[in-house]
Amino acid sequence: VQTVSFPQPGEKMAYFDIKAPMTTGIAKVKIIAKSSMEQTSYDVEMDIRNPNPYITNVVSATIQPGASFSQAYLPIGMNGTNSGAIEYSSLPPVNLKKRLNYLIQYPHGCVEQTTSAVFPQLYLDRLINLSAKQKSTSEANIKAGIGKLKGFQNTDGGLSYWPGSGDSDEWGTNYAAHFLVESQNTGYTLPVGMFDGIIRFLKNKASNWVPNSNNFYGGDLSQAYRLYVLALAKRADIAAMNRLRTFEYLSVAAKWRLAAAYKLAGQGEAATSLIQNLPTEVKPYTQLGGTYGSDVRDQAMILETLTLLGRKSSAGELLQPLAAKLGTDEWYSTQTTAYSLLAIAKFCGANTSSTSLQYSSSINGKT
């Protein structure tokens, strides 16, 4: 309670210390002002939030057929702000709830972020069983992503890194074009002229690409990815593929991607010979420009190629460490996370038996 004196009509400030409750939500403060003859009151709503960052705690276990598993678990965080989820999979745990919450949202940001937000949603039903509402939301997000990507397109057909920012970004265009081709192949409709413009840009870049000091590091992977997207769109440029194949310094990552392009173009023997004795391990790295890549992203691209080539055993061996990395709390970029989930979803789609599970569970005695 405070007393404020007014010798004449006017305004004065009064300050109060308020103790917030130990929970989040909307708190209400009622202010009452009284004078000798008058009284008034006013309700103020205040949003009580926790300023600390989100924390995710993962407990994982491998359960053999016919065996059981129990785990005592104490929730972390403040009451009312925490939640839990149980994830069952015949695949190694990939911390799916956290990764999808990070990606699956209304698309926004640069061309890479916009693409990453919606790309895994094309194949989300291969990873989890979606409710009707989740399917509807996912479809709406994909359509919104396609519409937003149209706003990145320049007159040359390519996509800029930001809408209206000038020159087309080669890797961003490759990545977005990959999503757009796959979305079209799964039944989504692209804006009029968008597909033709992107194909024109990709074919022009593919036919004129030569290694130089500006694109020597990562340039061959960008060219291989471009050729892969063209092959996926049934516009394969075999001549450009053959020229890239003879490049003396062709990187391992580019060879894997080019092999996928050959496979899509119906050149299975060329694909097989290109990856013969190639390693699937990738040394740790993170690239902030160029292809915006990482070792995990590259392993996901290799997994996608192995799945495409029908090499189930090799793909399964690579899936284990890739899923294990996603199963940790380590931060990965949007593209790395999106491409990893995409590659795993494609593996699951090509190996339908891996999604068949029979199990029962109970929490606090409730089944």
Side-chain angles (χ1 to χ4, degrees):
V1 178
Q2 292 194 37
T3 301
V4 182
S5 299
F6 289 89
Q8 60 185 17
E11 295 181 355
K12 288 188 177 182
M13 298 289 291
Y15 296 91
F16 295 84
D17 291 327
I18 299 176
K19 185 176 181 180
M22 294 299 293
T23 184
T24 60
I26 302 299
K28 292 185 178 181
V29 177
K30 189 177 187 68
I31 301 173
I32 302 174
K34 294 181 179 180
S35 68
S36 58
M37 299 179 62
E38 303 289 344
Q39 176 175 319
T40 186
S41 64
Y42 180 68
D43 291 329
V44 179
E45 291 188 349
M46 296 183 177
D47 188 6
I48 308 299
R49 62 183 182 84
N50 191 328
N52 296 316
Y54 284 99
I55 298 174
T56 303
N57 185 30
V58 178
V59 177
S60 61
T62 300
I63 307 173
Q64 299 299 324
S68 61
F69 171 78
S70 62
Q71 173 70 40
Y73 182 76
L74 293 176
I76 58 176
M78 294 177 60
N79 290 334
T81 68
N82 44 19
S83 63
I86 302 177
E87 177 184 330
Y88 300 95
S89 176
S90 57
L91 303 171
V94 294
N95 204 354
L96 190 59
K97 180 176 174 60
K98 176 183 177 181
R99 301 298 177 188
L100 291 180
N101 286 345
Y102 173 49
L103 287 175
I104 297 177
Q105 51 187 306
Y106 187 83
H108 67 280
C110 65
V111 65
E112 185 266 341
Q113 291 171 321
T114 299
T115 303
S116 293
V118 290
F119 207 160
Q121 297 185 63
L122 282 176
Y123 301 103
L124 187 56
D125 56 352
R126 297 185 184 182
L127 293 173
I128 57 175
N129 294 322
L130 298 176
S131 66
K133 182 178 180 180
Q134 288 174 322
K135 287 182 180 179
S136 177
T137 300
S138 182
E139 290 174 0
N141 287 342
I142 292 170
K143 291 177 181 178
I146 293 172
K148 289 184 74 68
L149 287 174
K150 174 61 177 175
F152 289 81
Q153 193 165 30
N154 294 321
T155 55
D156 62 1
L159 277 65
S160 57
Y161 195 73
W162 293 100
S165 64
D167 294 340
S168 297
D169 184 86
E170 292 192 22
W171 184 265
T173 299
N174 292 345
Y175 186 41
H178 184 188
F179 158 70
L180 292 169
V181 172
E182 297 228 21
S183 64
Q184 186 170 252
N185 290 344
T186 54
Y188 288 90
T189 302
L190 304 186
V192 175
M194 187 178 189
F195 178 80
D196 292 338
I198 287 179
I199 295 299
R200 183 179 73 252
F201 176 86
L202 295 178
K203 289 185 73 69
N204 180 58
K205 290 293 182 180
S207 60
N208 293 302
W209 184 86
V210 291
N212 56 52
S213 58
N214 293 326
N215 67 15
F216 193 83
Y217 295 102
D220 59 345
L221 176 57
S222 184
Q223 172 72 345
Y225 194 16
R226 183 182 298 122
L227 294 169
Y228 167 84
V229 175
L230 286 170
L232 184 66
K234 303 187 186 307
R235 304 289 198 281
D237 189 336
I238 301 297
M241 291 163 63
N242 290 338
R243 287 196 301 272
L244 181 61
R245 185 182 180 183
T246 61
F247 178 42
E248 182 180 359
Y249 303 103
L250 191 63
S251 66
V252 171
K255 288 180 180 179
W256 278 108
R257 188 74 336 199
L258 184 58
Y262 272 116
K263 177 64 177 178
L264 289 173
Q267 304 287 326
E269 291 185 4
T272 300
S273 64
L274 191 59
I275 64 170
Q276 188 172 3
N277 299 322
L278 279 185
T280 58
E281 298 84 8
V282 182
K283 292 182 179 180
Y285 83 98
T286 300
Q287 192 177 32
L288 300 179
T291 71
Y292 311 97
S294 68
D295 52 306
V296 178
R297 193 281 310 271
D298 288 358
Q299 283 188 311
M301 297 184 85
I302 294 172
L303 173 61
E304 183 185 33
T305 299
L306 289 171
T307 301
L308 178 64
L309 294 174
R311 299 194 172 192
K312 296 182 180 180
S313 178
S314 298
E317 292 176 1
L318 183 58
L319 176 70
Q320 301 293 325
L322 179 62
K325 290 176 181 177
L326 288 183
T328 67
D329 286 335
E330 185 172 348
W331 179 89
Y332 293 113
S333 71
T334 53
Q335 184 181 148
T336 292
T337 303
Y339 217 105
S340 297
L341 292 175
L342 173 68
I344 292 173
K346 286 189 174 183
F347 175 87
C348 293
N351 300 274
T352 53
S353 61
S354 65
T355 61
S356 178
L357 288 174
Q358 292 183 344
Y359 60 87
S360 63
S361 61
S362 64
I363 300 177
N364 294 332
K366 296 181 180 180
T367 302

